[in-house]
């Protein structure tokens, strides 16, 4: 039985998102030589001689090769049909990549990429698509794969996506633009038709040269050919059949296309599922087959079992598992918990003070890198979507303190031990409640730690004004920024897509904020609808008129 962790990690076959949902099938048996049969609702089969007979108005056709065809509601193929809204998803992912995920790749014409991708399989029989049909798309979408950053994998796709962190740590095929736009999607066309087939697409078992598998073969070949320096390979030691499939994309298309003169070393990591079986390890079973193959090709190969950085990432979902116990840091986490309880247990929930949280603040604080602090007000969702996409900034909620308590409430009772799970006071009932005092105290420390260039994201669609003196930012963070440590404050004034533009950088509340900051000797700039953030807004609203692209932006240099 497949473990929960294996389901999470996925397999290479799941890359294409295909599952056979058809349960009723025609049975066909071939005999003799020489003929072609066409059935309603089925694709054309080059066959030998057929014998068929009607019985109770049901046709049974038999073949010695036991070929199976789906007849469910006219579906031609066993696989899922083309992903709905494929074009919009593809183009949206393209702009997301070149603007937010990896702008270092430079300008790409996303509409041109879509046309090249679409023309590779449209108006063609879905079993006659070859890898070379995608050559133009790959050429247009190609960009450099950084040396020492390539990460190949088998049987752990979702884990790899988490570990690469959007190409920040490593760049797997799915983190390159030409893989990013197609990841987890399904597509196919139809012969003599410019449309997409949304009903069904062929699986690998039905025909090898289907649109999706041919694409990934071409993408895998290109990715391997342009990988250099230290090459990394992440395998699943708990996978049924072995960590290294001797027939698979890595074995058949990627290894043969590695350029030996560009590669200094190949590093293999074999990581078992948390709570999963240990089926394969370095120097054993299929991993040994891989090591021997690579060494025979002349590569310098090393292998590590349960590589710690990856193991730690798996432990995020299994923090209490015995494989995830960390002696010293576990003690720290318990101390942090005890210091939180000390702040509110046996205390009136309306008499909490900043001093109550000082032990917690000292234990959980950590350095904030300069030029990385992002403050916000009335832009909670947008600010945190941006920090997750860019990985270049930290809000208070992205620090350890903020992460632990974001969205959580707590309080005690002066007359009883333990935690009050029934009710806690709101800010409107008493300002000095445990939650409010905590966030004010943490916000003050976050502001005090900020250094270099500081960013502030405000909402220009708020009728009452983007800057409010009563907000946490306006009442606490502004006055605890240190002008000796902060070189500049950049204000990004964002308007909701389709929302009112109540205020711009020249508006009343922004001028009031500038005046406060200038009196404290800060240098301030303000930009309406900072473009990288606005493009992120458009990912969710691609058809809104505010997200229309100018014709000139489609042109390539």
């Amino acid at each position: 039985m497949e473990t929960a962790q294996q389901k999470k990690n996925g397999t290479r076959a799941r890359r294409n998102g295909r599952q056979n949902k058809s349960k009723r099938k025609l049975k066909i048996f071939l005999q003799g030589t020489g003929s072609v049969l066409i059935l309603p609702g089925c694709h054309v089969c080059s066959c030998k001689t057929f014998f068929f007979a009607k019985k109770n108005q049901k046709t049974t056709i038999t073949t010695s090769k036991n070929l199976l065809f789906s007849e469910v509601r006219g579906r031609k193929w066993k696989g899922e049909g083309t992903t709905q809204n494929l074009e919009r998803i593809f183009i949206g992912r393209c702009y997301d990549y070149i603007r937010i995920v990896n702008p270092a790749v430079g300008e790409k014409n996303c509409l041109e990429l879509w046309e090249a991708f679409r023309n590779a399989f449209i108006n063609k029989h879905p079993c006659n698509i070859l890898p070379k049909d995608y050559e133009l798309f790959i050429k247009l979408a190609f960009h450099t794969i950084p040396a020492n950053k390539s990460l190949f994998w088998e049987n752990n796709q979702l884990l790899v996506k988490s570990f690469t962190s959007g190409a920040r740590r490593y760049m797997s095929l799915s983190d390159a633009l030409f893989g990013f736009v197609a990841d987890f999607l399904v597509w196919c066309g139809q012969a003599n038709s410019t449309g997409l087939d949304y009903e069904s697409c062929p699986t690998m078992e039905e025909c090898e040269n289907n649109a999706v598998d041919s694409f990934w073969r071409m993408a895998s070949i290109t990715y391997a050919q342009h990988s250099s320096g230290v090459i990394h390979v992440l395998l699943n030691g708990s996978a049924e059949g072995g960590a290294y499939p001797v027939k698979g994309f890595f074995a058949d298309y990627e290894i043969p296309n590695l350029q030996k003169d560009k590669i200094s070393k190949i590093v293999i990591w074999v990581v078992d599922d948390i709570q999963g079986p240990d089926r394969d390890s370095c120097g054993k079973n299929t991993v040994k087959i891989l090591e021997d193959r690579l060494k025979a090709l002349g590569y310098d190969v090393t292998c590590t079992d349960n590589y710690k950085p990856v193991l730690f990432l798996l432990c995020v979902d299994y923090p209490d598992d015995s494989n995830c116990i960390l002696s010293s840091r576990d003690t720290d986490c318990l101390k942090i918990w005890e210091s939180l309880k000390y702040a509110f247990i046996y205390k009136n929930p309306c008499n909490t003070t900043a001093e109550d949280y000082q032990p917690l603040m000292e234990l959980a604080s950590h350095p904030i890198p300069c030029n990385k602090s992002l403050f916000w007000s009335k832009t909670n969702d947008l600010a945190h979507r941006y920090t997750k996409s860019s990985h270049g900034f930290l809000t208070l909620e992205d620090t350890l303190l903020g992460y632990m308590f974001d969205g959580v409430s707590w309080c005690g009772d002066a007359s009883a031990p333990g935690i009050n799970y029934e009710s806690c006071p709101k800010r409107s009932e008493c300002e000095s409640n445990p939650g409010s005092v905590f966030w004010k105290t943490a916000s003050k420390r976050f502001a005090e730690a900020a250094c270099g260039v500081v960013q502030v994201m405000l909402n220009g669609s708020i009728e009452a004004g983007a800057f409010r003196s009563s907000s946490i930012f306006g009442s606490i963070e502004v006055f605890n920024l240190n002008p000796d440590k902060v070189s500049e404050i950049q204000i990004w004034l964002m308007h909701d897509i389709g929302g009112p533009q109540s205020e711009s950088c020249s508006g009343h509340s922004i001028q009031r904020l500038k005046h406060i900051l200038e009196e404290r000797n800060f240098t301030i700039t303000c930009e309406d609808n900072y473009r990288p953030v606005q493009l992120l807004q458009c990912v969710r609203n691609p058809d809104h008129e505010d997200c229309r692209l100018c014709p000139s932006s489609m042109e390539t240099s």
Side-chain angles (χ1 to χ4, degrees):
M1 180 178 291
E2 190 177 39
T3 66
Q5 188 67 37
Q6 286 172 312
K7 291 178 179 178
K8 176 190 172 188
N9 289 343
T11 64
R12 178 75 64 148
R14 288 181 191 155
R15 162 181 275 168
N16 305 331
R18 297 203 231 137
Q19 297 174 0
N20 178 18
K21 296 183 178 179
S22 174
K23 295 183 179 178
R24 295 187 298 155
K25 302 183 176 97
L26 275 174
K27 292 189 289 187
I28 304 176
F29 299 84
L30 300 179
Q31 295 179 0
T33 57
S35 121
V36 174
L37 175 69
I38 304 176
L39 293 176
C42 295
H43 64 285
V44 178
C45 303
S46 293
C47 308
K48 299 194 177 177
T49 299
F50 291 84
F51 300 87
F52 45 108
K54 290 189 176 181
K55 183 179 181 181
N56 298 328
Q57 301 302 314
K58 294 183 180 180
T59 301
T60 299
I61 307 173
T62 58
T63 170
S64 60
K65 292 186 179 179
N66 196 28
L67 290 174
L68 301 178
F69 296 87
S70 169
E71 62 167 358
V72 180
R73 297 179 182 175
R75 287 166 54 97
K76 298 178 181 178
W77 311 104
K78 297 178 184 179
E80 293 179 355
T82 298
T83 303
Q84 294 291 327
N85 304 310
L86 177 68
E87 179 179 353
R88 293 183 180 182
I89 294 171
F90 182 103
I91 295 174
R93 285 184 177 183
C94 178
Y95 281 113
D96 187 27
Y97 190 91
I98 66 175
R99 299 288 183 247
I100 304 298
V101 176
N102 190 11
V105 302
E107 283 299 310
K108 298 288 184 181
N109 188 324
C110 293
L111 294 182
E112 185 181 20
L113 291 184
W114 164 250
E115 288 302 317
F117 177 80
R118 181 178 179 273
N119 288 339
F121 63 90
I122 210 69
N123 206 29
K124 298 177 184 178
H125 192 284
C127 282
N128 291 334
I129 313 300
L130 300 177
K132 68 179 183 179
D133 294 332
Y134 291 98
E135 285 179 347
L136 177 59
F137 164 73
I138 295 292
K139 179 180 178 180
L140 293 173
F142 181 77
H143 57 83
T144 302
I145 308 298
N148 308 313
K149 294 293 186 179
S150 293
L151 178 59
F152 297 84
W153 56 271
E154 284 287 3
N155 296 312
N156 46 27
Q157 184 178 10
L158 298 183
L159 175 60
V160 167
K161 289 187 74 68
S162 296
F163 185 59
T164 60
S165 190
R168 186 168 63 88
R169 294 190 186 95
Y170 296 94
M171 183 178 285
S172 69
L173 171 55
S174 297
D175 296 308
L177 174 59
F178 50 92
F180 184 88
V181 293
D183 208 20
F184 293 108
L185 302 180
V186 181
W187 63 90
C188 65
Q190 306 172 69
N192 304 316
S193 171
T194 59
L196 301 173
D197 190 342
Y198 292 101
E199 291 297 321
S200 62
C201 291
T203 63
M204 185 70 166
E205 76 175 39
E206 292 176 289
C207 60
E208 182 177 353
N209 291 326
N210 63 74
V212 176
D213 285 304
S214 289
F215 169 82
W216 286 114
R217 285 198 288 273
M218 188 66 200
S220 294
I221 290 169
T222 305
Y223 176 74
Q225 290 173 339
H226 292 87
S227 294
S228 61
V230 179
I231 301 299
H232 306 85
V233 182
L234 181 55
L235 302 176
N236 186 341
S238 297
E240 291 186 23
Y244 167 64
V246 293
K247 296 292 292 181
F249 275 78
F250 181 53
D252 294 340
Y253 303 105
E254 291 169 340
I255 291 178
N257 285 284
L258 294 173
Q259 306 298 299
K260 187 176 181 301
D261 59 336
K262 296 165 57 177
I263 295 171
S264 58
K265 180 187 288 188
I266 297 180
V267 176
I268 302 171
W269 299 323
V270 184
V271 180
D272 298 332
D273 294 338
I274 302 297
Q275 300 179 348
D278 179 8
R279 290 193 171 103
D280 228 341
S281 302
C282 294
K284 298 179 181 178
N285 304 324
T286 65
V287 179
K288 187 177 188 307
I289 295 173
L290 173 60
E291 290 176 274
D292 290 344
R293 178 182 179 183
L294 294 173
K295 289 175 182 177
L297 292 171
Y299 292 106
D300 180 11
V301 181
T302 64
C303 185
T304 302
D305 285 317
N306 290 319
Y307 180 57
K308 282 189 176 181
V310 179
L311 189 63
F312 291 157
L313 185 60
L314 288 172
C315 284
V316 171
D317 291 333
Y318 298 87
D320 297 324
D321 190 270
S322 59
N323 293 306
C324 299
I325 299 299
L326 306 174
S327 57
S328 60
R329 296 303 297 172
D330 266 8
T331 302
D332 290 346
C333 289
L334 291 174
K335 287 181 179 178
I336 289 173
W337 168 243
E338 291 300 323
S339 65
L340 173 65
K341 290 198 297 182
Y342 169 81
F344 69 91
I345 293 294
Y346 274 118
K347 295 180 181 178
N348 186 324
C350 285
N351 290 335
T352 309
T353 66
E355 288 71 24
D356 293 329
Y357 285 111
Q358 288 311 308
L360 171 64
M361 299 291 156
E362 295 297 331
L363 280 173
S365 64
H366 57 81
I368 306 298
C370 289
N371 308 311
K372 299 294 186 181
S373 297
L374 174 60
F375 297 86
W376 58 271
S377 183
K378 293 295 183 180
T379 54
N380 187 346
D381 177 68
L382 182 59
H384 293 105
R385 279 199 287 136
Y386 182 64
T387 58
K388 286 180 174 62
S389 296
S390 70
H391 303 288
F393 299 95
L394 288 172
T395 65
L396 170 58
E397 292 77 15
D398 296 316
T399 67
L400 176 59
L401 265 173
Y403 179 81
M404 286 190 296
F405 300 111
D406 190 26
V408 178
S409 62
W410 62 92
C411 66
D413 190 317
S415 60
I419 301 170
N420 187 344
Y421 291 103
E422 296 296 324
S423 63
C424 292
K426 297 180 180 179
R427 186 176 179 181
S428 58
E429 295 176 290
C430 61
E431 190 166 338
S432 295
N433 65 75
S436 295
V437 173
F438 168 82
W439 286 110
K440 288 179 181 179
T441 306
S443 296
K444 178 176 180 292
R445 292 179 69 95
F446 184 65
E448 291 171 343
C451 57
V453 179
V454 166
Q455 283 72 29
V456 180
M457 190 185 296
L458 302 177
N459 191 335
S461 294
I462 300 295
E463 187 176 350
F467 172 69
R468 297 169 301 117
S469 299
S470 59
S471 67
I472 293 276
F473 173 69
S475 62
I476 294 173
E477 291 169 336
V478 163
F479 296 103
N480 284 282
L481 292 169
N482 187 342
D484 295 328
K485 295 168 60 179
V486 175
S487 58
E488 182 181 347
I489 297 176
Q490 297 178 346
I491 302 170
W492 298 335
L493 189 62
M494 306 306 301
H495 298 102
D496 298 335
I497 298 296
Q501 298 195 9
S502 302
E503 188 168 16
S504 67
C505 283
S506 59
H508 176 72
S509 77
I510 297 299
Q511 293 306 309
R512 183 156 46 89
L513 171 59
K514 287 183 176 180
H515 177 70
I516 293 171
L517 294 172
E518 286 169 351
E519 279 196 332
R520 302 193 61 230
N521 297 318
F522 288 107
T523 299
I524 309 106
T525 64
C526 183
E527 182 174 348
D528 288 309
N529 292 319
Y530 178 57
R531 187 159 176 75
V533 180
Q534 188 180 38
L535 288 167
L536 187 61
Q537 290 177 301
C538 286
V539 170
R540 288 188 177 178
N541 302 273
D543 297 325
H544 196 277
E545 61 180 2
D546 291 350
C547 297
R548 287 183 299 182
L549 296 167
C550 298
S552 60
S553 69
M554 306 297 181
E555 299 174 2
T556 56
S557 57

